[in-house]
Amino acid sequence: MLITHDTRCALDTVVDLVNTAPEDDTAADGLPDVAALAEFTRGHAVSDIGTLTEPDLGAVREIRSRFAGIFAAPDARTAAGMINDLVAAAGTTPRLTDHDGYDWHVHYFAPGASLADHLAADCGMALAFFVVAGEEERLRRCEAPDCRRAFVDLSRNRSRRYCDSRTCGNRLHVAAYRARRKEAAG
């Protein structure tokens, strides 16, 4: 599957956005305030946004939960319906643009769109490309028992199971190794 630069940026953004949500009632929100939201947009080079406000923060949190639902969708039809609803509500308006040193690419948000609509349109379309390609199973949640972070499996054979093999995957492999050694030692 060919993934263009702007699609990859949108995928990284949606994964990071979903992963800002608190995993339970005791965890902190990764977007606690407008300043954190502004930092998130700077860190992901989200273009064409104005001054962010509390209503923007609330709307982005709502979009975040809808994206989380897509990563949890049980099948392509469910994911497609959720993506269609998200993108339609954002008032998607595809247009070609070349800005900030990037070659021609497509923005799906309407000029002047709110940040939430911007994210819903661009990130929603990036996820839509995976459904169209029959690759929606690449939109995953970490299989580590104490982690449910979202990620996009871009491995060649679709075998990635953990959000980060250096932390979650390695931790589980070490624990399994230690359990085997303990059992063998008697």
Side-chain angles (χ1 to χ4, degrees):
M1 175 175 177
L2 175 67
I3 300 175
T4 62
H5 176 275
D6 52 315
T7 299
R8 179 59 193 258
C9 289
L11 289 172
D12 291 345
T13 300
V14 71
V15 165
D16 289 348
L17 179 62
V18 168
N19 289 334
T20 65
E23 292 188 28
D24 58 37
D25 292 336
T26 63
D29 193 309
L31 293 176
D33 53 34
V34 174
L37 180 59
E39 182 58 34
F40 180 88
T41 60
R42 277 191 298 279
H44 288 86
V46 179
S47 62
D48 295 337
I49 58 168
T51 303
L52 299 174
T53 63
E54 285 294 326
D56 288 316
L57 179 62
V60 169
R61 286 178 175 166
E62 171 60 30
I63 292 298
R64 175 180 69 185
S65 68
R66 294 178 71 186
F67 278 130
I70 294 166
F71 277 85
D75 54 51
R77 184 161 307 283
T78 304
M82 295 168 86
I83 292 168
N84 283 341
D85 291 345
L86 190 66
V87 170
T92 307
T93 307
R95 61 189 168 92
L96 287 169
T97 184
D98 64 340
H99 61 86
D100 299 328
Y102 294 107
D103 264 340
W104 290 106
H105 59 282
V106 180
H107 280 187
Y108 294 95
F109 60 93
S114 70
L115 176 59
D117 285 346
H118 178 139
L119 293 172
D122 274 2
C123 295
M125 288 304 299
L127 297 177
F129 296 143
F130 277 77
V131 174
V132 167
E135 302 282 356
E136 68 283 342
E137 75 276 359
R138 290 182 182 267
L139 308 176
R140 298 194 175 156
R141 290 289 189 157
C142 184
E143 292 182 18
D146 59 342
C147 180
R148 296 300 298 150
R149 291 178 60 83
F151 68 94
V152 178
D153 178 5
L154 297 177
S155 67
R156 181 172 288 181
N157 62 358
R158 299 176 189 89
S159 62
R160 187 170 159 197
R161 297 174 48 207
Y162 306 108
C163 62
D164 184 354
S165 60
R166 286 186 219 142
T167 53
C168 287
N170 191 47
R171 188 171 31 82
L172 288 175
H173 289 114
V174 168
Y177 170 77
R178 288 181 180 159
R180 286 191 307 272
R181 297 272 299 178
K182 184 177 179 180
E183 186 176 308

